[in-house]
Amino acid sequence: MTEVIRTSAELRDKVAAWKRSGMLVGVVPTMGALHDGHLSLARAAREQSDRVIVTIFVNPMQFNNASDLDKYPRDEAHDLALLEAEGVDVLFAPGVDEVYPDGFATKVSVTGISEPLEGAMRPGHFDGVATVVSKLFGMTQAGRAFFGEKDWQQLQVVKRLVDDLNIPVRIMGCPTIREEDGLAMSSRNVRLSAEERAQAPVLHQQMQAAAGAIRAGTDAGAALETAKEAILAAGFHDVEYLELRTVDGLKPATDAAKPVRMLAAVWLGDVRLIDNIAV
Ligand code: AMP
């Protein structure tokens, strides 16, 4: 049985009892509308911890766009059934007032790594992420936290955060889970129309093609430009960025000589999709 907990006080008691018996607690922070990507994190947590908490909180502080927050899919009953099937011990699903009570006045801001890419396109987004993740680590007291590589920059921001603030949690990065046609799973994919859903895999296909070309010696700028044109020709409305960056520091990279990551954010209809792959 997955126990649903809504207050940090109740969660603290639960976790304290586990820790008294020497158990390692794993946490998987999510915003719900769970899919196989999230469940892969829950499975990794199950394998690598004694007790597993999945959190569901659609964090208003990390949305820079009110309509994206409004339209964010929510289905807690369905999510709970999925977590039960994975043997998750606790679903921690606090309300907004529990996380941000009256008088709340703190913001956690990671500089540097959070500034390009998503940080540039979504001002304030990573402050919201860093703040809520810090709170979730405080509330769950977890020893391990599982994050998806799907949000590559977020994973780097969270690693920086726990190092910088000496938060005693080990950050575990887990691979991106994809649909059979290559589209990275995302809660926002349900908002794609049938036509957009059919176009969506072009993003990953073009990223793979560009990565292959770069590895084979094609100039990175030219390969990325070709991919960008093909993505736009396939019906995407905008390519916010499609870039090569160093894997950890996310510094601009111009070729595949060092380990690099290719990261993209694009718009398809009114849905914003992100993806990243190794080059
Ligand atoms: P979200 O609910 O979108 O905030 O995501 C919660 C966690 O699930 C984050 O650590 C994400 O990186 C991870 N995640 C989301 N989609 C995927 C995916 N397709 N594969 C692996 N992890 C994912």
Side-chain angles (χ1 to χ4, degrees), residues 108-263:
V108 180
S109 195
V110 178
T111 60
I113 185 92
S114 69
E115 287 164 18
L117 307 170
E118 291 300 285
M121 294 298 157
R122 305 181 65 189
H125 169 66
F126 282 126
D127 288 352
V129 170
T131 303
V132 82
V133 164
S134 302
K135 287 185 63 86
L136 290 170
F137 291 157
M139 291 190 281
T140 61
Q141 299 285 305
R144 289 194 177 163
F146 297 79
F147 287 84
E149 291 182 349
K150 159 82 187 342
D151 298 276
W152 186 268
Q153 188 177 10
Q154 170 174 281
L155 177 59
Q156 309 311 320
V157 169
V158 171
K159 284 181 175 169
R160 184 80 259 161
L161 165 74
V162 304
D163 278 0
D164 287 357
L165 297 185
N166 307 88
I167 301 175
V169 61
R170 194 155 137 208
I171 304 303
M172 317 297 289
C174 303
T176 302
I177 305 299
R178 299 179 179 280
E179 303 287 355
E180 271 179 22
D181 58 16
L183 175 65
M185 290 189 181
S186 163
S187 304
R188 291 184 177 86
N189 290 352
V190 298
R191 290 177 40 212
L192 296 170
S193 68
E195 192 191 350
E196 289 159 355
R197 176 63 190 82
Q199 295 163 334
V202 169
L203 172 62
H204 182 243
Q205 285 158 13
Q206 287 301 324
M207 290 175 73
Q208 290 286 23
I214 293 166
R215 281 193 295 265
T218 303
D219 169 74
L224 293 171
E225 194 51 40
T226 303
K228 190 173 166 180
E229 281 165 19
I231 290 164
L232 291 171
F236 289 74
H237 297 148
D238 189 19
V239 177
E240 283 187 351
Y241 60 81
L242 173 61
E243 293 183 23
L244 285 195
R245 295 269 172 164
T246 58
V247 285
D248 297 329
L250 297 182
K251 298 265 188 281
T254 48
D255 60 50
K258 289 187 235 149
V260 291
R261 203 82 193 168
M262 185 185 297
L263 302 104

Side-chain angles (χ1 to χ4, degrees), residues 21 28 116 193:
S21 12
V28 180
S193 68

